[in-house]
Amino acid sequence: MAAVSGALPRWLQRPTTYSGLWGWVVTVDHKRIGVMYGVTAFAFFLVGGIEAVTMRLQLATPANTLVNPDTFSQLFSMHALTMIFLAIMPLSAAFFNIIIPLQIGARDVAFPRLNALSYWVFLFGGLLLNAGWLFGRSPGAGWFAYSNLTSGPFSPGSGMDYYVLGLLVLGTASMAAGFNFVVTIINMRAPGMTLMRMPLFTWMTLVTSFLLVLAMPVITVALIELGFDRFAGTNFFRPEGGGDPILWQHLFWVFGHPEVYILILPAMGIVSEVLPTFSRKPLFGYPVVVLSGVFIGFMGWAVWSHHMFTVGLGPIANATFAITTMFIALPTGVKVFSWIATMWGGSIEFKTAMLFAIGFIVLFIIGGLSGVSHASPPADAQQQDTYYIVAHIHYVLFGGSIFGLFSGMYYWFPKATGHLLHEGLGKLHFWLAFIGMNITFAPMHWLGLDGMPRRIYTYNSNMGWDFWNLVATAGSLLIAVSTLVFLWNVFTTMRKEKDAPADPWDGRTLEWSISSPPPIYNFRTIPNVYARDAFWHQKYVEGSDGRPRPVPTGGATAHSEGHEAAESPHDIHMPGLSYFPIILALGLALTAAGIMIHLAVVAAGVLITFFGIYGWAFEPADPE
Amino acid sequence: MIHASSPAHPAPVETTTGLNNRKLLMWIFLGSDCMFFGSLIATYLLYRGKSLVGPYAHEVFNIPYTSISAFVLLMSSLTMVLALSAIHRGDMRGLKVWLLATALLGTVFVGGQYFEFTTFVNEGLTLKTNLFGTTLFVLTGFHGAHVTVGIIILLSFYLVAARGRLKPEQHLNIELAGLYWHFVDVVWIVIFTVVYLTETPNIVT
Ligand SMILES: [Cu+2]
């Protein structure tokens, strides 16, 4: 809704402070929101890590009694939920926020207040999902929450209520972010930046945003139905009322498989930026990499039943989904070859960001191959519900997504903060994480093939699983140490002077053409884009030997035209700050939490939500 | 912080595609909402005719009654178009009349749904009774909630217009409200066809 002109009541006026803590609460600046996303998500990443290490300690020795089975169920459920919804997705969102407007040459996202709303809703949703640790109990039926484990008699108490309501709130945040970035990338590109000139990270963000927008409604409906079953006594997933628990599985995985690509595509985009930069070569086969990303986005909708091979859907369904699943490995393989070919013959610089990118490729290949092995229903019937699957998902989600995200952190940290992370500590972090990750998760392949089931809280010593479990636990401690090294690196770096140049890596894309950190308006003059790798072509021309030569300083560059027309920073119009995103987010979260607490809380939440929406709609475009 | 010296309404930002950002947002939201209703309708279809106990669809449906309320909702799409055309002409009086008419027709529809629900409950069909009750109330209830949100949006614009604060240049607001309203109408055509017009006998008895 539009701002409506006229004299305004005091409470409707825009805040004007940009300093202090308050400045962060009312900010609509995409870079600040990105930093808040990053910090919050990393805090949740640590929580999920503590849950993981606790489980590994419990499993270190047979018949261990560190935690009881009930706590163990809550630990593995919350570990997955936290890592997926509160760590990987929002860490990706942090990069969308900080980097996308810079890469496409924009001054902000299309809807700055909606962007702030996404963050606050995510924060409150994350707290709601975790509230079970303090009040009542946490969800304990796995992140997939198969029905009818989740109905009242099998999941008494508040655990699954936190699951339903927390994920509903988080889904709202994801959809809002998805809407925003689809519109931003389609509509806010600098002149000349055609689709096929967009940086790969921007492309993968676009595909991910479409997946968010289309996949989250499906899980929303599944959660609403489960919520009705739990709160209103309906029959959606209750066999005694005629309901079919398999429906949950279908709805969940129709969302869940696109979700897998929501988790991995941003990391693939990051790696596709880092590899060319540190190989000093353009990405090999750019159009093919783009198209395979888009193709993955489409095909991701046609494979969901590979999570249900052992349900008994019949040979035709199983064969169909086996074929589509094996087929979707093709575009992924194409990308891997493009990355390797990008490095081939390049002058490679082994900075930490590059090490993590190479680590991503190595680990993702291993995870991808084990994944293809359970695309075959007979093989899957053996691997289903064993540690083999645990090994697979951690190779693709930790070795893949998290390594890709760490690569992005080292790569873009100077751009976001103005500080260069310490390379020595960075390399130590990489090697500890890489070795620790393999010591933890490689043995799970053998444990799984040896029949060790997932989600068991302990095992007997006569099963022959003792040794590799102890090894895996030792590896997990190494991963924990590597994360501490990273935290130490960030901590000491932030205490030092800002020393990052605008373009520390000799980058290729537009974000490196402006200062680190960028001014609030990003680009003083919106750049004109004449080629893929726009910034590279501002800096280099191809010499007669085919190698890049720097553009002579002061030399004529058609690419920097428009400098005379540079606007004075004071004339650049930036969106006004706003209270209403956090108010509206609070209202939504309170409404959801109220369903568990009391109808009066719901009413209060709805009132605050309405207040937030109307304030949002009627506040002026600028402070008066 | 940096801000423009004066204008409360900055010049509209040019977009890459030429399509207005908010309009693009609305279209993508509607695409997302398609997945939402698609999942609810899929649930309804999967459970159609699988209730363990009655009452069943053919025992409670009053097709002529629901047809009339569907007709009322369809007519509201017409008045919505008239509202948009009024603001395009700068006819603010016409805009107010047609906005109010659209909201009124929407309210008649939602009221009709409320009455229909009450009748069902009186005939022994509740959310908990059987799969039919569960899926019917949740699907049509969420559609009714969408209509209600639409009514609130229309009435809000009516109030803003009535206080003379809506300018003809701001016709995009009405256009977006209209997009949403028509979408909700189209969804009802699908639900009405799937739920009411093609009911199947219960196969589990
Ligand atoms: Cu899958």
Side-chain angles (χ1 to χ4, degrees):
Chain A
M1 280 182 250
V4 178
S5 49
L8 284 151
R10 193 178 175 76
W11 60 269
L12 263 181
Q13 303 202 355
R14 292 261 189 168
T16 47
T17 339
Y18 204 73
S19 55
L21 195 63
W22 191 240
W24 289 85
V25 173
V26 296
T27 189
V28 295
D29 174 14
H30 70 96
K31 299 178 286 296
R32 284 191 156 200
I33 293 170
V35 169
M36 292 197 286
Y37 256 116
V39 171
T40 314
F42 206 86
F44 280 124
F45 177 69
L46 296 179
V47 172
I50 291 168
E51 286 156 1
V53 170
T54 315
M55 282 188 286
R56 277 321 316 169
L57 289 176
Q58 161 67 18
L59 292 172
T61 52
N64 199 359
T65 53
L66 177 69
V67 294
N68 61 36
D70 184 32
T71 310
F72 193 85
S73 300
Q74 297 175 46
L75 281 172
F76 73 67
S77 305
M78 283 304 291
H79 166 71
L81 290 166
T82 303
M83 289 306 194
I84 290 167
F85 291 101
L86 306 180
I88 298 182
M89 285 171 75
L91 279 173
S92 305
F95 288 117
F96 299 172
N97 269 286
I98 299 173
I99 301 305
I100 292 298
L102 305 182
Q103 277 197 336
I104 62 174
R107 290 199 170 128
D108 208 317
V109 295
F111 302 100
R113 289 182 298 173
L114 186 66
N115 205 20
L117 177 72
S118 304
Y119 169 74
W120 293 112
V121 175
F122 150 67
L123 174 66
F124 295 140
L127 294 177
L128 181 60
L129 185 59
N130 272 284
W133 292 122
L134 300 177
F135 312 102
R137 48 181 290 118
S138 285
W143 85 287
F144 45 85
Y146 272 8
S147 175
N148 53 357
L149 275 180
T150 52
S151 60
F154 304 104
S155 283
S158 54
M160 292 316 297
D161 300 344
Y162 285 114
Y163 176 92
V164 170
L165 299 168
L167 289 193
L168 276 176
V169 173
L170 287 166
T172 313
S174 297
M175 279 189 274
F179 294 139
N180 213 338
F181 281 95
V182 169
V183 177
T184 302
I185 295 173
I186 291 181
N187 249 0
M188 306 280 284
R189 282 167 284 145
M193 180 163 288
T194 56
L195 285 178
M196 290 314 266
R197 285 179 188 164
M198 288 197 320
L200 232 294
F201 179 65
T202 305
W203 254 114
M204 292 305 109
T205 303
L206 181 61
V207 177
T208 307
S209 304
F210 267 111
L211 289 178
L212 281 172
V213 162
L214 297 174
M216 294 319 277
V218 182
I219 183 90
T220 301
V221 166
L223 291 166
I224 286 172
E225 292 177 351
L226 177 58
F228 266 99
D229 272 6
R230 288 186 63 87
F231 295 114
T234 52
N235 305 305
F236 284 109
F237 307 121
R238 288 172 56 250
E240 59 271 40
D244 185 356
I246 304 298
L247 174 65
W248 169 271
Q249 297 191 18
H250 280 296
L251 288 174
F252 186 84
W253 291 116
V254 167
F255 148 80
H257 196 88
E259 169 71 15
V260 170
Y261 292 112
I262 291 170
L263 297 172
I264 197 70
L265 286 176
M268 287 179 164
I270 292 170
V271 167
S272 306
E273 300 287 318
V274 170
L275 288 169
T277 300
F278 294 104
S279 307
R280 298 183 62 77
K281 274 179 65 193
L283 184 74
F284 181 87
Y286 171 95
V288 183
V289 180
V290 167
L291 286 180
S292 31
V294 174
F295 185 70
I296 286 174
F298 279 105
M299 278 293 290
W301 294 91
V303 296
W304 80 87
S305 279
H306 63 209
H307 296 273
M308 301 166 66
F309 281 153
T310 56
V311 164
L313 298 178
I316 299 203
N318 280 1
T320 308
F321 282 97
I323 291 167
T324 54
T325 303
M326 290 174 195
F327 195 50
I328 206 170
L330 288 179
T332 315
V334 166
K335 284 182 166 230
V336 170
F337 282 115
S338 291
W339 292 325
I340 296 172
T342 303
M343 290 190 285
W344 189 269
S347 41
I348 298 179
E349 230 187 321
F350 288 102
K351 298 283 190 196
T352 309
M354 184 64 168
L355 289 178
F356 271 104
I358 297 171
F360 167 95
I361 298 177
V362 172
L363 300 172
F364 187 77
I365 289 176
I366 298 173
L369 288 176
S370 63
V372 172
S373 83
H374 37 255
S376 159
D380 182 71
Q382 301 300 314
Q383 298 160 1
Q384 160 91 5
D385 265 339
T386 71
Y387 260 83
Y388 189 87
I389 307 286
V390 180
H392 159 71
I393 63 137
H394 285 90
Y395 268 87
V396 290
L397 289 189
F398 190 82
S401 301
I402 293 286
F403 268 57
L405 291 165
F406 270 128
S407 173
M409 283 185 226
Y410 283 94
Y411 184 59
W412 281 310
F413 199 84
K415 184 53 63 187
T417 64
H419 297 273
L420 274 163
L421 285 169
H422 190 273
E423 275 294 313
L425 285 173
K427 282 174 183 159
L428 180 66
H429 170 208
F430 168 75
W431 284 111
L432 287 176
F434 186 79
I435 294 168
M437 134 90 208
N438 282 293
I439 295 180
T440 311
F441 299 115
M444 292 183 186
H445 290 112
W446 348 134
L447 284 170
L449 291 177
D450 203 17
M452 180 171 167
R454 304 166 71 170
R455 307 181 196 109
I456 50 165
Y457 83 105
T458 195
Y459 50 92
N460 276 330
S461 134
N462 58 13
M463 301 301 289
W465 300 332
D466 306 11
F467 176 71
W468 287 121
N469 269 299
L470 189 60
V471 170
T473 301
S476 73
L477 295 175
L478 209 54
I479 297 176
V481 171
S482 80
T483 310
L484 292 178
V485 172
F486 174 74
L487 284 175
W488 176 249
N489 196 351
V490 171
F491 179 72
T492 50
T493 301
M494 292 306 285
R495 287 173 62 102
K496 280 191 284 205
E497 293 272 299
K498 288 191 182 177
D499 57 350
D503 183 19
W505 317 121
D506 201 3
R508 314 180 69 85
T509 39
L510 286 175
E511 73 268 31
W512 305 109
S513 68
I514 50 177
S515 66
S516 306
I520 179 154
Y521 46 82
N522 298 346
F523 297 90
R524 210 163 143 184
T525 311
I526 298 296
N528 279 311
V529 176
Y530 297 93
R532 203 175 287 157
D533 289 335
F535 185 47
W536 180 267
H537 288 284
Q538 287 179 25
K539 297 187 291 184
Y540 296 97
V541 289
E542 199 172 290
S544 47
D545 54 351
R547 296 199 156 272
R549 260 188 319 115
V551 173
T553 39
T557 84
H559 308 306
S560 56
E561 74 178 28
H563 258 305
E564 321 81 90
E567 294 165 73
S568 144
H570 291 283
D571 290 340
I572 297 175
H573 181 268
M574 293 305 293
L577 310 175
S578 179
Y579 308 109
F580 292 105
I582 190 171
I583 293 177
L584 181 48
L586 198 68
L588 289 173
L590 211 59
T591 309
I595 295 174
M596 287 178 66
I597 305 168
H598 195 275
L599 223 54
V601 183
V602 177
V606 170
L607 276 178
I608 297 176
T609 304
F610 266 95
F611 174 73
I613 291 174
Y614 278 91
W616 180 301
F618 290 105
E619 72 177 341
D622 293 293
E624 306 212 336
Chain B
M1 88 148 267
I2 315 246
H3 58 84
S5 32
S6 63
H9 294 286
V13 190
E14 275 196 36
T15 63
T16 314
T17 57
L19 198 67
N20 178 282
N21 278 346
R22 288 167 61 208
K23 205 189 262 188
L24 185 57
L25 176 73
M26 181 53 87
W27 279 108
I28 295 163
F29 167 75
L30 295 182
S32 181
D33 223 21
C34 276
M35 294 300 287
F36 180 85
F37 278 112
S39 305
L40 281 173
I41 292 170
T43 304
Y44 184 89
L45 285 175
L46 272 169
Y47 284 160
R48 189 159 66 167
K50 296 211 175 124
S51 291
L52 299 181
V53 292
Y56 304 111
H58 64 273
E59 295 166 348
V60 295
F61 278 164
N62 181 348
I63 303 292
Y65 174 86
T66 317
S67 304
I68 291 171
S69 76
F71 179 76
V72 168
L73 191 63
L74 285 186
M75 282 306 102
S76 76
S77 260
L78 177 65
T79 54
M80 187 71 233
V81 171
L82 291 171
L84 181 60
S85 113
I87 193 171
H88 272 307
R89 289 194 315 268
D91 170 10
M92 300 314 272
R93 214 186 82 86
L95 170 74
K96 281 180 278 184
V97 168
W98 292 122
L99 277 181
L100 211 54
T102 312
L104 193 73
L105 289 172
T107 313
V108 169
F109 173 83
V110 174
Q113 195 176 38
Y114 179 78
F115 179 75
E116 187 189 35
F117 279 11
T118 327
T119 318
F120 290 167
V121 171
N122 288 340
E123 290 173 34
L125 183 73
T126 69
L127 261 177
K128 303 183 196 184
T129 314
N130 54 18
L131 280 178
F132 171 58
T134 292
T135 52
L136 175 82
F137 283 120
V138 172
L139 170 59
T140 55
F142 269 100
H143 178 266
H146 273 72
V147 179
T148 309
V149 168
I151 294 169
I152 295 173
I153 293 173
L154 293 173
L155 288 178
S156 303
F157 281 124
Y158 170 79
L159 287 176
V160 174
R163 295 175 65 189
R165 295 233 180 134
L166 194 68
K167 307 273 172 293
E169 314 83 83
Q170 293 169 314
H171 56 82
L172 183 68
N173 293 315
I174 304 302
E175 198 178 336
L176 297 184
L179 273 177
Y180 174 82
W181 191 262
H182 298 314
F183 170 78
V184 173
D185 275 10
V186 170
V187 170
W188 183 253
I189 296 177
V190 176
I191 293 178
F192 184 59
T193 310
V194 165
V195 175
Y196 291 87
L197 295 185
T198 59
E199 49 162 308
T200 46
N202 208 63
I203 45 179
V204 186
T205 39

